[in-house]
Amino acid sequence: MTSIVQALHDRIIGSIDSIQPPERYKIVVLDAKTNKIVLSACKMFDIMDRNVTLVEMLESKRQAYTSLEAVYLLTPCMESVQRLMDDYPNDSPTGKYKAAHILFTAPLEDRLFDRLTKSPVSKYIKTLRELFMDFTAIESRVFSLESPSSFYTLYSPAKKMELAAEMDSIAKQSMKLAGLLQSELESYVRSNQDMAGRQQGQGTILILDRSIDITAAIVHEFTYQAMANDLLPIEDGTKYTYDIENGDGATEAVSVVIDESDQVFTDIRHAHIVETASTLTSKFNQFVAENEALRGDKDKVASLRNMKDQLANLPQFQDMKAKYSTHIHIAKECMRIFEESKINELGLVEQQLATGETVEGHLPKQVLAEMIPFLDDPDVSGMDKARLLMLYMICRGGLKNEDREELLGLARMSSDNVEAIRNLGLLGVNTERGGSAPRSKKKPFYPRKKAEDEEQPFDLSRYITKAKKIVEEHINGTLDATLYPYTTEAPVQDSADATRSLRKTAQPAWEKKRPNVKGSRLMIFIAGGVTYSEIRAMYELCHSMGRDIVIGSTHIITPRQFIFSLKDLARGPLRPIAPVIPPYQAPVHAQQQRPGPGGPRSGGPGPGGPGNNMMPPQGRGPPPQQQGQHRPMTPGNSGGPPPGGMRTIQKDASGRFVAPPSSHGPPRSPAHPQHPPPQHHAPPPEEKKKNKMFGFI
């Protein structure tokens, strides 16, 4: 299986490593967006180990190093192109750096290409490439375009004029990721003799949108990762801050990062919260058994409380101690909120509404009577009441106006939550009986017929996301082609895989061994946001079917974030969503003065100055040319270009840039039309076959 994180890591490091200036050392410059892309897949050590002496932010005031060449990894937007041009002004005898190697994460528009290649910076440019990696790697099987504003563009009537451009952008970015994964797979096959003769399966990209399953974005989820992100203030799904008591008895805040580098988290992220405690204690006992220094007279722990006490006596294992302590705290906090907010009782009603059946498999005939006490209960939060009412409206196919108003009044709903409920109609949900949205022919509470061998899940986790069902049908070859038509030739079905059950899980996901991936790759893209329950479902399908499945979206959402977005959907966000890359401001004339070769610029904070929360400067101190020992080249580094999936823009014999045809549109004109490009400057062969292995549904 090709990990998205590893594929992106290899593309970034390979691209930086392919730049080999005569001075050996180089400087890397990132803009705010590429900084997020790089940090999603790489550590700072990875970059600094490639003969990089300094990493800086494009938007910051930077010191000039005119004896070193710079590698710019940039977003192809006006702001970053203009800031790049400011580094090499026309009225200065030197630029900020000796030369520029420019790597764009996506194709550069013709107007920006012309502007860049006709500017004074063009004489400094030695490399100009498009890398096709405009996304962040969230997990090994999960990616994001980091575009929460897409939700409004896709569904808000106030953003109707922007819809076509948004859909075009999403399609292009999805294809870039598909091409990157394909090139990594082909590179792997070429380097492994035992796979060289095998027939490669044809991959498929399945594109859905958020309206396909509103329920998944609302209903409470009780697996560890999803529940923690729903109930706790975890920033970007990875950053969590909580208070602990130190040795002096004082309370201090601790911030932790929760991602796949944390093996404890990886083992339990998809476990049901009921299993999490037993899983943590089991893993901890195994950890103690494997480390003789911990054995002594200590007994095995039997509970989270017992485990917390024993962790206090392990100063020599600080890293593992911190990880276990973090997840003990998170699990206990989730259970506290679960009980205090009555989610344990509320969740049973939600599951009846979401699945259309009771725990015993019967039609839920008294669901309204079971709902009313929660709507009238002051201990149930307004957010949870809104979620419950939304589920009721979805399963009932809308409500009469007087019934809806009566329920809203009973719940004492805030105006924001009322607006969120009304805006469900913009996602195709019938909010009113007799409304304009088409009525479903499916009767409310229609029960799902269970397979005889299907394992009964937890009572609070019976809902199966629509995305999982759709992928199941695709793999089994039963997906309705009229609803999900192929845009290219349909892939050959692997009949051996199609006969296996996808829903039967004999043991928790955390206990399963690494999947034996086979068959064609399947990429799922959900425009408008993907939930943690849908992410978990794809991991489960990968394990149960042994298929290479990747899932991504415009952004990752939790139920709370989804409802916050819903309340502004009709009018659009009250405040514009701040762009990742700050708006461009022309530099003050005094700031454009450049020192002589190798001399530092005086004044001005570096990228790590006040208010900057991006990648910190690395290698600060003496100018790079004054440093002594050179960092050795990593063994095995050939210095060659990374594998396919990128375009190199070259210069003709006269030194003018010639742009190859755009991958999405008509051929570009050269920067100077009076000098047509030579015939040998054709697009690289890998660009011609980018559609060979992937089709759209």
Side-chain angles (χ1 to χ4, degrees), residues 2 12 31 47 76 138 186 191 211 243 261 310 314 330 335 408 420 426 468 492 496 528 563 587 598 604 673:
T2 304
I12 293 169
D31 64 32
I47 298 175
I138 305 299
E186 291 173 352
S191 62
S211 66
D243 293 332
S261 65
Q310 186 161 327
L314 305 179
I330 291 176
M335 292 305 297
L408 290 174
L426 297 175
K468 185 174 185 179
V492 177
I563 292 175

Side-chain angles (χ1 to χ4, degrees), residues 2 7 10-11 179-189 643:
T2 304
D10 293 346
R11 170 58 54 86
L180 173 58
L181 292 177
Q182 187 62 34
S183 67
E184 294 296 331
L185 178 61
E186 291 173 352
S187 176
Y188 175 78
V189 171

Side-chain angles (χ1 to χ4, degrees), residues 351-479:
Q351 288 296 311
Q352 291 185 54
L353 296 172
T355 63
E357 60 187 23
T358 64
V359 173
E360 296 79 16
H362 303 145
L363 291 174
K365 298 178 181 179
Q366 302 296 323
V367 68
L368 181 59
E370 295 177 31
M371 279 177 51
I372 289 177
F374 293 106
L375 297 178
D376 193 36
D377 191 335
D379 292 334
V380 177
S381 70
M383 178 71 72
D384 286 342
K385 291 178 181 180
R387 292 164 71 168
L388 188 60
L389 272 175
M390 287 179 179
L391 290 172
Y392 185 63
M393 294 176 70
I394 291 171
C395 78
R396 294 294 300 174
L399 296 175
K400 292 180 179 179
N401 184 62
E402 57 270 24
D403 293 339
R404 185 181 66 251
E405 295 304 318
E406 183 177 350
L407 291 174
L408 290 174
L410 177 66
R412 296 176 292 279
M413 197 73 64
S414 69
S415 58
D416 280 348
N417 285 335
V418 170
E419 193 67 19
I421 292 171
R422 296 186 191 279
N423 286 340
L424 279 174
L426 297 175
L427 296 176
V429 175
N430 239 339
T431 58
E432 295 184 20
R433 289 289 178 92
S436 58
R439 291 291 304 278
S440 172
K441 295 181 180 179
K442 182 178 176 181
K443 294 181 180 180
F445 305 124
Y446 190 81
R448 174 176 59 88
K449 186 177 181 181
K450 297 186 181 73
E452 292 183 2
D453 63 344
E454 184 176 334
E455 183 176 324
Q456 291 295 323
F458 291 95
D459 292 346
L460 288 173
S461 300
R462 293 180 290 119
Y463 180 71
I464 298 173
T465 66
K466 296 231 175 78
K468 185 174 185 179
K469 295 177 182 178
I470 290 171
V471 173
E472 174 182 1
E473 291 175 0
H474 166 71
I475 295 176
N476 285 335
T478 60
L479 188 62

Side-chain angles (χ1 to χ4, degrees), residues 289-354:
E290 293 172 353
N291 293 272
E292 292 188 8
L294 303 181
R295 293 179 186 175
D297 298 328
K298 298 181 179 68
D299 296 327
K300 288 186 177 181
V301 299
S303 67
L304 292 182
R305 182 181 297 275
N306 180 212
M307 182 175 165
K308 184 176 181 180
D309 294 338
Q310 186 161 327
L311 280 170
N313 301 318
L314 305 179
Q316 67 272 50
F317 291 90
Q318 290 298 322
D319 184 57
M320 290 303 296
K321 174 182 175 180
K323 287 181 170 57
Y324 278 109
S325 295
T326 294
H327 296 296
I328 291 171
H329 175 87
I330 291 176
K332 292 177 68 175
E333 275 295 289
C334 286
M335 292 305 297
R336 181 187 64 80
I337 298 172
F338 176 76
E339 294 170 359
E340 291 179 1
S341 300
K342 301 186 178 180
I343 299 175
N344 53 339
E345 303 167 27
L346 182 67
L348 290 173
V349 181
E350 286 186 352
Q351 288 296 311
Q352 291 185 54
L353 296 172

Side-chain angles (χ1 to χ4, degrees), residues 209-262:
D209 76 286
R210 186 63 269 154
S211 66
I212 196 71
D213 189 358
I214 308 300
T215 298
I218 298 173
V219 70
H220 279 88
E221 167 78 11
F222 298 103
T223 51
Y224 181 71
Q225 182 184 33
M227 188 177 185
N229 278 277
D230 186 5
L231 302 183
L232 303 179
I234 300 179
E235 182 184 350
D236 294 332
T238 59
K239 302 171 187 175
Y240 181 54
T241 301
Y242 64 102
D243 293 332
I244 64 170
E245 187 176 303
N246 59 28
D248 300 329
T251 300
E252 61 178 335
V254 175
S255 294
V256 294
V257 175
I258 306 169
D259 58 20
E260 287 185 320
S261 65
D262 179 352

Side-chain angles (χ1 to χ4, degrees), residues 76-79 81 85 108-118 668-669:
C77 63
M78 183 279 292
E79 292 82 1
V81 169
M85 293 165 56
L108 191 64
E109 292 181 5
D110 291 346
R111 63 183 181 88
L112 291 178
F113 173 80
D114 290 341
R115 186 173 184 178
L116 177 64
T117 57
K118 292 178 181 178
R668 292 175 175 170
S669 300

